Amino acid sequence: MDDAGTRLDPRTFATLLVTEENDRVAVQLNRPAVRNAIDAQMVAELHRVCGSLETAPKILLLTGIPGDEATGMPGIFASGADVSELLERRREDALKGINSGLFTRIAALPMPVIAALDGYALGGGAELAYAADFRIGTRALRMGQPETSLGIMAAAGATWRLKELVGEPLAKEILLAGRILTGEGCLAAGLITELVESADLLPAAHALADAIARQDPLAVQATKRIFHEPRDAHPGVDNLAQAELFESPAKFARMQAFLDRRKP
């Protein structure tokens, strides 16, 4: 569903390829001429997707252009924010938090977000991936933050999300020295949870989505929401969320089914 309460219409997107199923929405970033650089139109279209998923929660799969192992062409998730637009932005634009606002919204979606990463995931593309709950990558993945080489900083989440994901020393090397991680390096750092071949990337992402979809959606949403609460909010928020789930029809149905399966 979109903001108007209907299913997302793939024909209305210019920078995204959108496929909606009953339990998930797959979104492929699709600006191949500029290596999937994130521009204002892509930001606006991703906001539309968020509006739909906030109204009718589903798993979100974010992908880029897949690689072609037969021809040796690497895939690309997103090469970063569109530099031609960044060049024209001024102080007022920075204060709007154009990309950071979008990535914060994606991170806060009710259901989990899976980023399937192949080829370049740089700058804003990497920061978009950091906002996901899960990241799966390929050996061709190249991930990093080249912003300081362009006279700006990574201001859409990298300065704090990356530190939480990989620790301060490596985060500083990526942010301040421009280190680019390979797929193997991302796996070793815990930045991705699975390393696959390019041809297996989308199936692996859907397999993870399948595993999530087998869980109770309300329980998944509650768990994700409570997971991100500040430390001093626990255990109170846990107890409140559990109290709601204890009264849900799905709890009774799923527990009764579990007990029935155990009967001789």
Side-chain angles (χ1 to χ4, degrees):
M1 300 174 71
D2 63 16
D3 291 316
T6 58
R7 289 177 70 90
L8 291 163
D9 185 350
R11 298 170 297 178
T12 63
F13 293 91
T15 69
L16 309 175
L17 299 178
V18 178
T19 304
E20 185 171 6
E21 301 179 24
N22 289 334
D23 58 8
R24 71 198 65 176
V25 173
V27 172
Q28 179 184 321
L29 310 183
N30 189 47
R31 297 187 72 215
V34 289
R35 300 198 298 180
N36 276 356
I38 300 171
D39 67 347
Q41 185 171 10
M42 183 181 285
V43 168
E45 292 184 356
L46 285 170
H47 272 298
R48 283 182 52 206
V49 172
C50 288
S52 172
L53 296 178
E54 289 161 353
T55 302
K58 295 183 179 183
I59 301 162
L60 174 61
L61 274 68
L62 291 171
T63 68
I65 299 167
D68 187 339
E69 294 178 353
T71 62
M73 289 294 293
I76 184 161
F77 181 69
S79 59
D82 194 315
V83 176
S84 64
E85 287 190 356
L86 288 178
L87 180 63
E88 301 302 321
R89 290 181 183 171
R90 297 296 186 266
R91 180 179 188 276
E92 294 75 14
D93 300 302
L95 293 175
K96 293 176 183 176
I98 296 170
N99 284 358
S100 62
L102 170 64
F103 300 163
T104 296
R105 192 176 185 186
I106 288 173
L109 286 172
M111 289 292 283
V113 179
I114 301 168
L117 308 171
D118 191 20
Y120 291 113
L122 300 173
E127 290 178 299
L128 172 57
Y130 304 154
D133 298 288
F134 301 95
R135 286 163 296 279
I136 301 172
T138 70
R139 298 183 189 282
L141 174 60
R142 298 294 181 269
M143 204 167 192
Q145 305 295 153
E147 284 89 346
T148 53
S149 70
L150 297 173
I152 59 173
M153 62 174 283
T159 55
W160 55 279
R161 284 199 181 100
L162 187 56
K163 178 170 58 178
E164 293 175 352
L165 291 168
V166 304
E168 183 174 317
L170 180 56
K172 283 184 174 178
E173 189 173 2
I174 294 168
L175 289 164
L176 305 179
R179 178 176 174 182
I180 304 297
L181 297 181
T182 64
E184 290 85 351
C186 288
L187 183 65
L191 198 50
I192 61 175
T193 56
E194 188 175 357
L195 186 68
V196 299
E197 301 301 329
S198 294
D200 299 324
L201 181 59
L202 196 55
H206 277 289
L208 178 55
D210 291 341
I212 296 168
R214 288 192 290 270
Q215 315 307 310
D216 172 51
L218 287 179
V220 170
Q221 292 174 49
T223 302
K224 176 177 175 176
R225 184 178 71 253
I226 300 305
F227 185 92
H228 290 289
E229 289 283 350
R231 177 63 182 87
D232 59 5
H234 300 279
V237 290
D238 303 70
N239 296 339
L240 288 172
Q242 189 77 300
E244 294 179 7
L245 292 173
F246 270 13
E247 300 296 331
S248 72
K251 172 251 186 175
F252 291 100
R254 284 174 172 262
M255 287 192 176
Q256 189 60 57
F258 173 81
L259 294 173
D260 290 343
R261 289 194 298 270
R262 293 179 60 185
K263 291 179 180 179

